[in-house]
Amino acid sequence: MKDLIETNPILNKLPKHLKQFMKPQNYEDYSAIDQAVWRYVMRKNVNFLSTVAHESYLKGLKQTGISVDRIPNMYGMNRILKDIGWAAVAVDGFIPPNAFMEFQAYNVLVIASDIRQLEHIEYTPAPDIIHEGAGHAPIIANPEYAEYLRRFGEIGCKAISSAKDYELYEAVRHLSIIKEAPNTPKEDIVLAEKKIEALQQNMGEPSEMALIRNLHWWTVEYGLIGTADNPKIYGAGLLSSIGESALCMTDAVEKLPYTIEAAYKDFDITKPQPQLYVTPDFAHLSLILEEFANTMSVRKGGLSGVNKLIQSETLGTIELSTGIQISGVFTDVAEDENKPIYIQATGASALAYREKELVGHGIETHSRGFGSPLGKLKGINLAIEDMSPRDLAAYNIYEEQTVTLEFEGGIKVSGEIITGKRNLQGKIILISFKNCTVTYQKSVLFKPEWGIYDMAVGKEIVSAFSGPADLNSFDLITHVPSEKTIHIKKPNELLRLEELYQQVRDYREGKNRTISRTKVLEELIENHPNDWLLPIELYELAFNGSEPKLCEKLLNRLEIIKQNRPEVGNLIDDGLEIILQEETFTEKH
């Protein structure tokens, strides 16, 4: 049972290439320390966020079934999420940006199921279940925001990346893994950080994916809503970070109105953000998203769209004005007067119409690539796609006719026409030739001995986007992570500490009242003097049970830890404050 992934109707609709990123949550792998970390962060956050988070957050916590006291079981979460049309899946840390966005387009929340170590309780660069479950999930209970998230995924997964983007993604994933892994040498972390810094300084012109990722960061992750004078938090990075959720409410962080300019503001995941953007409402997010989408190649096409695909060095699609779609790895484009006149994809390519592969034009047929001229014929005002059957006959574009088609940019196609394909509107979208030669100036682009030449028909490129037109055209099950999250064998000392945490948890939940909490404290002092969270849990029990002597012992112990470890002093103080506030709240109600 351990490795099974429980499915549901929403997850069943996911394409195969996304399912490869899913993994079982393995709930039993969470230790009692993990549960205590979740409980501490959630109690502190909910306590603080009740006054500064958007009202949807606290409502959403209840609606999505996320408990303050225990890490959410995603199968239970899914049963509740389905009522708002969403689902959640577990993944291993960072996944490629396009895949992350595509999950959102299918109304699926991606949750990194690992949880941060106690040492990184305030902030971790690695995505974890506190960030994803406690940050993202509650807000999607708001319908306007949920639609923004879905639409963002739909547009974002079409954004074209650069080859350097993927290199940066791998470097960030590597850093997040080693930072969260126990016992990583400091020099390894410094080396990984320097590599990211060097990559970031040499990225060149930002890609569409880099720009839309900025929008995602400043809204979904670190967004504020309301006014600059009275903002509320809705971004998951803020909702799940004890430190930043408080810091962002101070004057130390500049508050800017959210506009499309945020797409050009980079971020650093290793540091608190010096400025944040405030949207007046969730509907405004969608307006800016559409404004940005209008700048993307998926809507603009043209020469710049093809060039972006060539620079990406990965699978992409161009759509011509007739609706025919060419998918492959684009390697070359010939241009004339700033217009593309011939495009070339190398290696496995496929043709589609309206996201459905054309019969007989998959990667088996076009295994070596696909090239085609674009634009109008020389000396003829009427484009091929606009010609009626009578016009086509007049220009000898007809079955069994041997013709030479010379395009305005200088491309010549000479051969015998076999047949053509039309779209639903009756426009010709593809012409097939035999004994065909394609030339451009002194270059031969296609030779008769290469077989049948299929020429896509279209006077211009109307769209260019990442990924294939038809998901079934290519084998997309290719994801092999460069490295997986590191799980080391736990030393006996840690295993014993986990047992002590479990005893205290069982006592609090009434499962075992026979343990001696004084003995637990004595063992902590002797064998685990640096641990600060379990003494707080013990203090809570003693305080609520009106045991002044044990309370005094624990406060003394916590004071010693603060002197020995000043870096956790604020965490201890905050933990104690929550206990006192909860007592005050109980008395008033």
Side-chain angles (χ1 to χ4, degrees), residues 393-405:
Y395 291 109
N396 274 346
I397 304 173
Y398 210 74
E399 286 173 29
E400 299 183 353
Q401 293 291 322
T402 299
V403 294
T404 294
L405 302 177

Side-chain angles (χ1 to χ4, degrees), residues 40 63 71 91 132 135 169 175 198 244 273 276 298 307 364 371 377 391 443 466 472 519 543 565 577:
Y40 177 92
Q63 207 168 332
I71 295 167
V91 297
E132 315 281 7
Y169 153 72
L175 175 64
E244 285 207 79
Q273 309 309 314
L276 295 172
V298 70
N307 280 326
E364 300 81 10
L377 295 174
D391 295 324
S443 301
S466 176
N472 297 312
K519 283 186 178 175
F543 183 84
R565 298 186 65 198
E577 189 182 334

Side-chain angles (χ1 to χ4, degrees), residues 129-148:
I129 197 161
I130 292 178
H131 171 83
E132 315 281 7
H136 286 293
I139 290 288
I140 62 168
N142 180 295
E144 184 77 50
Y145 181 75
E147 174 53 21
Y148 167 71

Side-chain angles (χ1 to χ4, degrees), residues 491-558:
N492 289 334
E493 182 187 355
L494 178 57
L495 291 172
R496 179 56 189 154
L497 181 59
E498 286 179 356
E499 284 176 18
L500 295 176
Y501 269 85
Q502 189 63 55
Q503 286 177 14
V504 172
R505 186 173 183 84
D506 289 345
Y507 184 93
R508 187 177 61 249
E509 293 179 350
K511 292 176 183 174
N512 182 0
R513 290 280 182 168
T514 62
I515 68 155
S516 165
R517 286 163 294 135
T518 303
K519 283 186 178 175
V520 169
L521 176 59
E522 287 168 0
E523 187 173 339
L524 272 177
I525 293 168
E526 188 174 344
N527 298 324
H528 311 281
N530 286 325
D531 186 81
W532 61 270
L533 183 52
L534 194 54
I536 285 177
E537 296 224 322
L538 287 167
Y539 178 80
E540 180 191 355
L541 292 172
F543 183 84
N544 291 340
S546 301
E547 299 171 85
K549 285 187 178 176
L550 184 53
C551 280
E552 191 179 347
K553 277 185 186 177
L554 285 158
L555 287 175
N556 289 337
R557 178 68 207 147
L558 287 165

Side-chain angles (χ1 to χ4, degrees), residues 15 32 55 91 166 172 308 359 381 403 411 502 525 585:
E55 60 181 10
V91 297
Y166 199 80
V172 169
K308 285 177 186 177
V359 175
N381 282 330
V403 294
I411 306 289
Q502 189 63 55
I525 293 168
F585 181 84

Side-chain angles (χ1 to χ4, degrees), residues 52-70:
V52 297
H54 186 263
E55 60 181 10
S56 297
Y57 178 72
L58 292 174
K59 285 181 190 171
L61 274 178
K62 292 183 185 131
Q63 207 168 332
T64 50
I66 293 172
S67 159
V68 168
D69 283 321
R70 60 182 49 83

